[in-house]
Amino acid sequence: MNILFVGRRTSQESVGVMKKIAGQITALGRLGCQVWSTDIDADGGWLEHDAQRQKIWDLRRYIPAGLSPHLNSGHTFLQAAQQNDVHFDVCYIRKPLVDNLHLKTLQVLRQKGTTIVEEIPTYPYDDELKRQGSLSSKVFLAVDRHYRKKLHRY
């Protein structure tokens, strides 16, 4: 079984969150699954599998660096996987903030027959974002509130 694990893995995540994500990926591998995971850093987006890391997009081409901690686009990683001729049976998404691109990704995955599992790591997360107090957090929260109402479709 091929699994795409999409999660916001950035240098800004806490050690505990990084350990949990690594543990989830390891556990899926021990169950006999082939796991591809996503990563994002100051240079761009990466697809990882069996200790091999492939750069699949350049951060500077898509978004201002200051917004990068909020983004880990499943759609971009899906495109990269298609370039590698990989079909995913399951896409496990550690829920990012939802936007139109995220919903389009879910639509593509659903059309391909991929089972979609979304984990909501901290619920409710609205207050967590409000406490950050930054303008970008407020903007992303407003966008998320608008689009998350449509998640049930996928």
Side-chain angles (χ1 to χ4, degrees), residues 2 4 10 15 17-18 24 32-33 35 50 55 59 64 67-70 82 90 92 95 107 115-116 134 136-137 153:
N2 292 325
L4 176 62
T10 70
V15 173
V17 170
M18 293 302 290
Q24 288 173 316
C33 301
V35 182
D50 287 339
K55 188 173 187 177
L59 182 65
L67 300 180
S68 65
H70 296 282
Q82 288 172 333
V90 176
Y92 183 95
K95 186 189 171 299
Q107 183 179 22
T115 300
I116 300 166
S134 69
S136 63
S137 295
R153 296 179 185 169

Coordinates of all heavy atoms in Angstrom, one line a residue, residues 2 4 10 15 17-18 24 32-33 35 50 55 59 64 67-70 82 90 92 95 107 115-116 134 136-137 153:
N2 N 0.6 2.2 -0.9 CA 1.4 3.4 -1.0 C 0.6 4.5 -0.2 O -0.6 4.7 -0.5 CB 1.5 3.8 -2.4 CG 2.5 2.9 -3.2 OD1 3.4 2.4 -2.6 ND2 2.2 2.7 -4.4
L4 N 0.7 8.7 0.9 CA 1.3 10.0 0.9 C 1.0 10.6 2.3 O -0.2 10.8 2.6 CB 0.8 10.8 -0.2 CG 1.3 12.3 -0.3 CD1 2.8 12.3 -0.5 CD2 0.6 13.0 -1.4
T10 N 8.0 21.7 9.5 CA 8.9 22.8 9.3 C 9.8 23.0 10.5 O 9.6 22.3 11.6 CB 8.2 24.2 9.1 OG1 7.6 24.5 10.4 CG2 7.1 24.1 8.1
V15 N 9.6 20.1 19.0 CA 10.3 18.8 19.0 C 9.2 17.7 19.2 O 9.3 16.6 18.5 CB 11.4 18.7 20.1 CG1 11.9 17.3 20.2 CG2 12.5 19.7 19.8
V17 N 6.0 17.7 18.3 CA 5.3 17.5 17.1 C 6.1 16.7 16.1 O 5.6 15.8 15.4 CB 4.8 18.8 16.5 CG1 4.2 18.7 15.1 CG2 3.8 19.5 17.5
M18 N 7.4 17.1 15.9 CA 8.2 16.4 15.0 C 8.4 14.9 15.3 O 8.4 14.1 14.4 CB 9.6 17.1 14.9 CG 9.6 18.5 14.3 SD 8.9 18.6 12.7 CE 10.2 17.8 11.8
Q24 N 4.6 8.4 13.5 CA 3.5 8.0 12.6 C 4.0 7.4 11.3 O 3.5 6.4 10.8 CB 2.5 9.2 12.3 CG 1.7 9.6 13.5 CD 0.9 10.9 13.2 OE1 1.4 11.8 12.6 NE2 -0.3 10.9 13.6
G32 N 4.1 -2.3 6.8 CA 4.3 -2.8 5.4 C 3.9 -1.8 4.4 O 3.9 -2.1 3.2
C33 N 3.6 -0.6 4.7 CA 3.3 0.4 3.8 C 4.5 1.1 3.2 O 5.5 1.3 3.9 CB 2.4 1.5 4.4 SG 0.9 0.8 5.2
V35 N 5.7 4.6 2.4 CA 5.3 5.9 2.8 C 6.2 7.0 2.2 O 7.4 7.0 2.3 CB 5.4 6.1 4.3 CG1 4.9 7.4 4.8 CG2 4.6 5.0 5.0
D50 N 12.1 6.5 1.7 CA 13.3 5.6 1.9 C 14.6 6.4 2.0 O 15.6 6.1 1.3 CB 13.4 4.6 0.8 CG 12.4 3.5 0.9 OD1 11.8 3.3 2.0 OD2 12.1 2.8 -0.2
K55 N 13.7 17.5 -4.2 CA 13.1 18.8 -4.2 C 12.0 18.9 -5.3 O 12.3 18.5 -6.5 CB 14.1 19.9 -4.4 CG 13.6 21.3 -4.2 CD 14.8 22.3 -4.3 CE 14.3 23.7 -3.9 NZ 15.4 24.6 -3.9
L59 N 10.5 27.4 -3.1 CA 9.7 28.3 -2.3 C 9.6 29.7 -2.9 O 8.5 30.3 -3.0 CB 10.3 28.4 -0.9 CG 9.5 29.3 0.1 CD1 8.1 28.7 0.4 CD2 10.3 29.4 1.4
P64 N 5.8 34.5 -0.6 CA 6.8 35.2 0.2 C 7.3 34.3 1.4 O 6.5 33.6 2.0 CB 6.1 36.4 0.7 CG 4.9 36.5 -0.1 CD 4.6 35.1 -0.6
L67 N 5.4 33.8 4.8 CA 4.2 33.1 4.9 C 4.4 31.6 4.9 O 3.5 30.8 5.1 CB 3.3 33.4 3.7 CG 2.9 34.9 3.6 CD1 1.9 35.0 2.4 CD2 2.2 35.3 4.8
S68 N 5.7 31.1 4.6 CA 6.0 29.7 4.4 C 5.6 28.8 5.5 O 5.2 27.7 5.3 CB 7.4 29.5 4.0 OG 8.3 29.9 5.1
P69 N 5.7 29.2 6.8 CA 5.3 28.2 7.9 C 3.9 27.7 7.8 O 3.5 26.7 8.3 CB 5.5 29.0 9.2 CG 6.5 30.1 8.8 CD 6.2 30.4 7.4
H70 N 3.0 28.5 7.2 CA 1.6 28.1 7.1 C 1.3 27.2 5.9 O 0.2 26.7 5.8 CB 0.7 29.4 7.0 CG 0.8 30.2 8.2 ND1 0.2 29.9 9.4 CD2 1.5 31.3 8.4 CE1 0.5 30.9 10.3 NE2 1.3 31.7 9.7
Q82 N 3.0 12.2 -9.1 CA 2.6 11.8 -10.4 C 3.7 11.8 -11.4 O 3.8 10.9 -12.3 CB 1.5 12.7 -11.0 CG 0.1 12.5 -10.2 CD -0.9 13.6 -10.6 OE1 -0.6 14.7 -11.0 NE2 -2.1 13.2 -10.5
V90 N -3.7 5.7 -0.2 CA -4.1 6.5 0.9 C -3.3 7.8 1.0 O -2.1 7.8 0.8 CB -4.0 5.8 2.3 CG1 -4.4 6.7 3.5 CG2 -4.8 4.5 2.3
Y92 N -2.7 10.6 3.8 CA -2.9 10.9 5.2 C -2.5 12.4 5.4 O -1.3 12.7 5.1 CB -2.1 10.0 6.1 CG -2.3 10.3 7.6 CD1 -3.3 9.5 8.3 CD2 -1.6 11.3 8.3 CE1 -3.5 9.8 9.7 CE2 -1.8 11.5 9.6 CZ -2.8 10.8 10.3 OH -3.0 11.0 11.6
K95 N -3.8 17.9 9.1 CA -4.6 19.0 8.6 C -3.8 20.4 8.6 O -3.5 20.9 9.7 CB -5.9 19.2 9.3 CG -6.7 20.3 8.7 CD -7.9 20.6 9.6 CE -8.7 21.8 9.2 NZ -7.9 23.0 9.2
Q107 N -10.2 17.0 -4.2 CA -11.0 16.6 -5.3 C -10.2 15.7 -6.3 O -10.7 14.7 -6.7 CB -11.5 17.9 -6.0 CG -12.4 17.6 -7.2 CD -12.9 18.8 -7.8 OE1 -12.3 19.9 -7.7 NE2 -14.0 18.7 -8.5
T115 N -8.0 7.0 -0.9 CA -8.7 7.2 0.4 C -8.0 8.4 1.1 O -6.8 8.4 1.2 CB -8.6 5.9 1.2 OG1 -9.2 4.9 0.5 CG2 -9.2 6.1 2.6
I116 N -8.8 9.3 1.6 CA -8.3 10.5 2.2 C -8.6 10.4 3.7 O -9.7 10.2 4.1 CB -9.0 11.8 1.6 CG1 -8.7 11.9 0.1 CG2 -8.5 13.0 2.4 CD1 -9.6 12.9 -0.6
S134 N -0.5 37.6 14.9 CA 0.1 38.2 13.7 C -1.0 38.4 12.7 O -2.0 37.7 12.7 CB 1.2 37.3 13.2 OG 0.7 36.1 12.7
S136 N -0.7 37.6 9.5 CA -0.8 36.5 8.6 C -1.7 35.4 9.3 O -2.5 34.7 8.6 CB 0.6 35.9 8.3 OG 1.2 35.5 9.4
S137 N -1.6 35.2 10.6 CA -2.4 34.2 11.3 C -3.9 34.5 11.2 O -4.7 33.7 11.0 CB -2.0 34.1 12.8 OG -0.7 33.7 12.9
R153 N -17.3 17.4 1.9 CA -17.5 16.8 0.5 C -16.4 15.7 0.2 O -16.6 14.9 -0.7 CB -17.4 17.9 -0.5 CG -18.4 18.9 -0.4 CD -18.2 20.0 -1.5 NE -19.2 21.1 -1.3 CZ -19.1 22.2 -1.9 NH1 -18.1 22.4 -2.8 NH2 -20.0 23.1 -1.7

